[in-house]
């Protein structure tokens, strides 16, 4: 309950929607166990990005800020989706669908990491989907590392 209406009736806040009554009860139990800011939970990806850009991005270098800004433009299909509803496969779709090279894909992946950690700080999400199997696109035939570097971990030069 979030207060009272002028006519004395209670005013309720909607904490979310569920497909079944059972899912609704689970959602309510989760909310009662760990209440969240209902309005904060509805923040869209675009709103989260703007807030992140204001609060966190100034701590990054200019080149990194520019790369992450460009990466954000490759995620237009998710701008108006509540961030809490974005799943790992959608993040991966943005990486795969950007149609650019390794560095741009890396920037998109990095952006998801920044946004996920920031959303976790704000209690918008309870887990970071960007850390789950989100990887650079193998469909472009790109190696596991940047161009000019062999795939896999760096190796120590042999001793002479």
């Amino acid at each position: 309950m979030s207060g009272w209406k002028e006519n004395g009736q209670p005013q309720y806040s909607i904490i979310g929607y569920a497909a079944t009554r059972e899912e609704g009860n689970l959602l309510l139990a989760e909310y009662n166990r760990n209440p969240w800011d209902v309005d904060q939970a509805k923040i869209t990806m675009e709103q989260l990005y703007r807030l992140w850009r204001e609060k966190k991005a100034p701590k990054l270098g200019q080149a990194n800020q520019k790369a992450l800004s460009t990466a954000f433009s490759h995620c237009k299909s998710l701008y108006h989706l509540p961030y809490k509803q974005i799943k790992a496969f959608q993040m991966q779709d943005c990486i795969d669908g950007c149609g650019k090279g390794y560095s741009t894909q890396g920037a998109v992946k990095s952006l998801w990491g920044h946004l996920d950690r920031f959303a976790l700080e704000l209690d918008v999400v309870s887990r970071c989907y960007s850390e789950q199997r989100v990887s650079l696109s193998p469909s472009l035939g790109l190696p596991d590392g940047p161009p000019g570097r062999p795939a896999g971990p760096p190796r120590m030069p042999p001793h002479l």
Side-chain angles (χ1 to χ4, degrees):
M1 188 170 75
S2 63
W4 301 93
K5 295 179 183 177
E6 288 180 17
N7 63 3
Q9 294 177 339
Q11 185 171 351
Y12 296 100
S13 295
I14 297 172
I15 61 169
Y17 294 94
T20 65
R21 183 180 183 98
E22 183 179 321
E23 289 177 6
N25 286 334
L26 290 173
L27 180 65
L28 184 58
E30 182 182 334
Y31 178 80
N32 287 333
R33 185 174 42 87
N34 184 17
W36 59 80
D37 182 354
V38 174
D39 293 330
Q40 191 78 352
K42 295 177 183 173
I43 191 169
T44 65
M45 181 203 175
E46 186 174 23
Q47 292 168 330
L48 183 69
Y49 172 77
R50 304 270 180 237
L51 187 59
W52 171 84
R53 196 174 66 181
E54 176 186 317
K55 305 279 185 194
K56 299 288 185 172
K59 298 174 187 172
L60 302 173
Q62 282 298 109
N64 200 359
Q65 287 182 37
K66 186 170 170 50
L68 293 171
S69 177
T70 301
F72 178 69
S73 70
H74 292 291
C75 303
K76 287 181 182 171
S77 63
L78 302 175
Y79 280 6
H80 300 292
L81 197 61
Y83 194 81
K84 189 173 187 156
Q85 293 179 6
I86 298 175
K87 304 296 181 209
F89 78 90
Q90 293 167 305
M91 295 175 181
Q92 186 66 55
D93 286 347
C94 281
I95 294 169
D96 295 343
C98 80
K100 301 294 181 181
Y102 183 86
S103 61
T104 304
Q105 288 183 355
V108 174
K109 182 177 178 179
S110 177
L111 174 67
W112 285 121
H114 282 285
L115 291 179
D116 255 3
R117 287 186 296 277
F118 188 56
L120 198 59
E121 280 181 35
L122 297 175
D123 288 330
V124 172
V125 296
S126 57
R127 60 195 278 187
C128 289
Y129 282 109
S130 64
E131 295 172 3
Q132 292 183 346
R133 295 179 24 210
V134 175
S135 60
L136 301 182
S137 175
S139 63
L140 293 177
L142 299 173
D144 290 338
R149 185 185 304 164
R155 297 192 178 147
M156 297 294 291
H159 289 101
L160 299 174

